[in-house]
mmCIF file of all heavy atoms in Angstrom:
data_model
loop_
_atom_site.group_PDB
_atom_site.id
_atom_site.type_symbol
_atom_site.label_atom_id
_atom_site.label_comp_id
_atom_site.label_asym_id
_atom_site.label_seq_id
_atom_site.Cartn_x
_atom_site.Cartn_y
_atom_site.Cartn_z
ATOM 1 N N PRO A 51 11.624 25.085 -17.078
ATOM 2 C CA PRO A 51 12.567 25.080 -18.212
ATOM 3 C C PRO A 51 13.300 26.402 -18.358
ATOM 4 O O PRO A 51 14.434 26.435 -18.838
ATOM 5 C CB PRO A 51 11.646 24.815 -19.413
ATOM 6 C CG PRO A 51 10.443 24.143 -18.848
ATOM 7 C CD PRO A 51 10.258 24.724 -17.493
ATOM 8 N N PHE A 52 12.654 27.487 -17.983
ATOM 9 C CA PHE A 52 13.293 28.801 -18.073
ATOM 10 C C PHE A 52 14.555 28.838 -17.210
ATOM 11 O O PHE A 52 15.636 29.217 -17.659
ATOM 12 C CB PHE A 52 12.304 29.881 -17.627
ATOM 13 C CG PHE A 52 12.897 31.262 -17.517
ATOM 14 C CD1 PHE A 52 12.970 32.078 -18.628
ATOM 15 C CD2 PHE A 52 13.402 31.724 -16.312
ATOM 16 C CE1 PHE A 52 13.519 33.353 -18.522
ATOM 17 C CE2 PHE A 52 13.945 32.988 -16.207
ATOM 18 C CZ PHE A 52 14.011 33.807 -17.310
ATOM 19 N N PHE A 53 14.404 28.457 -15.930
ATOM 20 C CA PHE A 53 15.558 28.496 -15.030
ATOM 21 C C PHE A 53 16.574 27.414 -15.380
ATOM 22 O O PHE A 53 17.783 27.605 -15.214
ATOM 23 C CB PHE A 53 15.101 28.372 -13.581
ATOM 24 C CG PHE A 53 14.506 29.635 -13.046
ATOM 25 C CD1 PHE A 53 13.136 29.725 -12.815
ATOM 26 C CD2 PHE A 53 15.293 30.743 -12.784
ATOM 27 C CE1 PHE A 53 12.577 30.886 -12.338
ATOM 28 C CE2 PHE A 53 14.733 31.909 -12.303
ATOM 29 C CZ PHE A 53 13.376 31.993 -12.079
ATOM 30 N N ALA A 54 16.109 26.261 -15.875
ATOM 31 C CA ALA A 54 17.045 25.222 -16.283
ATOM 32 C C ALA A 54 17.974 25.731 -17.371
ATOM 33 O O ALA A 54 19.183 25.465 -17.356
ATOM 34 C CB ALA A 54 16.281 23.987 -16.773
ATOM 35 N N ALA A 55 17.403 26.511 -18.330
ATOM 36 C CA ALA A 55 18.226 27.065 -19.397
ATOM 37 C C ALA A 55 19.246 28.056 -18.855
ATOM 38 O O ALA A 55 20.403 28.087 -19.305
ATOM 39 C CB ALA A 55 17.326 27.740 -20.430
ATOM 40 N N ILE A 56 18.844 28.880 -17.884
ATOM 41 C CA ILE A 56 19.772 29.848 -17.295
ATOM 42 C C ILE A 56 20.906 29.129 -16.570
ATOM 43 O O ILE A 56 22.091 29.480 -16.705
ATOM 44 C CB ILE A 56 19.023 30.795 -16.346
ATOM 45 C CG1 ILE A 56 18.189 31.796 -17.147
ATOM 46 C CG2 ILE A 56 19.995 31.532 -15.435
ATOM 47 C CD1 ILE A 56 17.457 32.784 -16.311
ATOM 48 N N PHE A 57 20.571 28.092 -15.812
ATOM 49 C CA PHE A 57 21.598 27.388 -15.053
ATOM 50 C C PHE A 57 22.570 26.671 -15.987
ATOM 51 O O PHE A 57 23.762 26.561 -15.688
ATOM 52 C CB PHE A 57 20.955 26.390 -14.090
ATOM 53 C CG PHE A 57 20.075 27.053 -13.052
ATOM 54 C CD1 PHE A 57 18.955 26.403 -12.562
ATOM 55 C CD2 PHE A 57 20.369 28.319 -12.580
ATOM 56 C CE1 PHE A 57 18.145 26.999 -11.622
ATOM 57 C CE2 PHE A 57 19.547 28.929 -11.641
ATOM 58 C CZ PHE A 57 18.429 28.275 -11.163
ATOM 59 N N ASN A 58 22.067 26.198 -17.136
ATOM 60 C CA ASN A 58 22.962 25.574 -18.098
ATOM 61 C C ASN A 58 23.956 26.578 -18.652
ATOM 62 O O ASN A 58 25.118 26.260 -18.885
ATOM 63 C CB ASN A 58 22.163 24.956 -19.252
ATOM 64 C CG ASN A 58 21.400 23.719 -18.815
ATOM 65 O OD1 ASN A 58 21.746 23.094 -17.815
ATOM 66 N ND2 ASN A 58 20.345 23.385 -19.558
ATOM 67 N N LEU A 59 23.500 27.810 -18.866
ATOM 68 C CA LEU A 59 24.399 28.858 -19.344
ATOM 69 C C LEU A 59 25.467 29.186 -18.317
ATOM 70 O O LEU A 59 26.624 29.434 -18.639
ATOM 71 C CB LEU A 59 23.604 30.120 -19.692
ATOM 72 C CG LEU A 59 22.826 30.096 -21.023
ATOM 73 C CD1 LEU A 59 21.939 31.323 -21.120
ATOM 74 C CD2 LEU A 59 23.778 30.030 -22.201
ATOM 75 N N THR A 60 25.072 29.208 -17.048
ATOM 76 C CA THR A 60 26.024 29.637 -16.005
ATOM 77 C C THR A 60 27.101 28.606 -15.739
ATOM 78 O O THR A 60 28.102 28.902 -15.077
ATOM 79 C CB THR A 60 25.270 29.905 -14.694
ATOM 80 O OG1 THR A 60 24.632 28.699 -14.267
ATOM 81 C CG2 THR A 60 24.248 31.009 -14.871
ATOM 82 N N THR A 61 26.938 27.391 -16.233
ATOM 83 C CA THR A 61 28.001 26.398 -16.042
ATOM 84 C C THR A 61 29.233 26.732 -16.859
ATOM 85 O O THR A 61 30.327 26.292 -16.556
ATOM 86 C CB THR A 61 27.502 25.006 -16.445
ATOM 87 O OG1 THR A 61 27.104 25.017 -17.818
ATOM 88 C CG2 THR A 61 26.326 24.579 -15.583
ATOM 89 N N THR A 62 29.045 27.554 -17.909
ATOM 90 C CA THR A 62 30.192 27.926 -18.749
ATOM 91 C C THR A 62 30.483 29.404 -18.697
ATOM 92 O O THR A 62 31.541 29.842 -19.115
ATOM 93 C CB THR A 62 29.924 27.531 -20.207
ATOM 94 O OG1 THR A 62 28.714 28.149 -20.652
ATOM 95 C CG2 THR A 62 29.760 26.016 -20.318
ATOM 96 N N LYS A 63 29.488 30.226 -18.218
ATOM 97 C CA LYS A 63 29.676 31.672 -18.201
ATOM 98 C C LYS A 63 29.335 32.208 -16.837
ATOM 99 O O LYS A 63 28.218 32.101 -16.394
ATOM 100 C CB LYS A 63 28.788 32.340 -19.256
ATOM 101 C CG LYS A 63 29.139 31.939 -20.671
ATOM 102 C CD LYS A 63 28.300 32.702 -21.674
ATOM 103 C CE LYS A 63 28.673 32.305 -23.104
ATOM 104 N NZ LYS A 63 27.924 33.077 -24.092
ATOM 105 N N THR A 64 30.292 32.790 -16.195
ATOM 106 C CA THR A 64 30.057 33.362 -14.875
ATOM 107 C C THR A 64 30.055 34.872 -14.918
ATOM 108 O O THR A 64 29.917 35.523 -13.899
ATOM 109 C CB THR A 64 31.135 32.892 -13.888
ATOM 110 O OG1 THR A 64 32.413 33.262 -14.380
ATOM 111 C CG2 THR A 64 31.071 31.392 -13.718
ATOM 112 N N ASN A 65 30.232 35.439 -16.096
ATOM 113 C CA ASN A 65 30.206 36.890 -16.218
ATOM 114 C C ASN A 65 29.032 37.296 -17.095
ATOM 115 O O ASN A 65 28.125 36.519 -17.363
ATOM 116 C CB ASN A 65 31.536 37.384 -16.801
ATOM 117 C CG ASN A 65 32.683 37.106 -15.849
ATOM 118 O OD1 ASN A 65 32.537 37.315 -14.645
ATOM 119 N ND2 ASN A 65 33.787 36.587 -16.374
ATOM 120 N N THR A 66 29.099 38.525 -17.572
ATOM 121 C CA THR A 66 27.980 39.068 -18.329
ATOM 122 C C THR A 66 27.779 38.311 -19.641
ATOM 123 O O THR A 66 28.741 37.995 -20.331
ATOM 124 C CB THR A 66 28.214 40.554 -18.622
ATOM 125 O OG1 THR A 66 28.403 41.208 -17.394
ATOM 126 C CG2 THR A 66 27.042 41.152 -19.364
#
Side-chain angles (χ1 to χ4, degrees):
F52 173 86
F53 284 108
I56 286 182
F57 298 148
N58 289 338
L59 283 172
T60 61
T61 60
T62 57
K63 296 184 179 183
T64 58
N65 295 317
T66 303

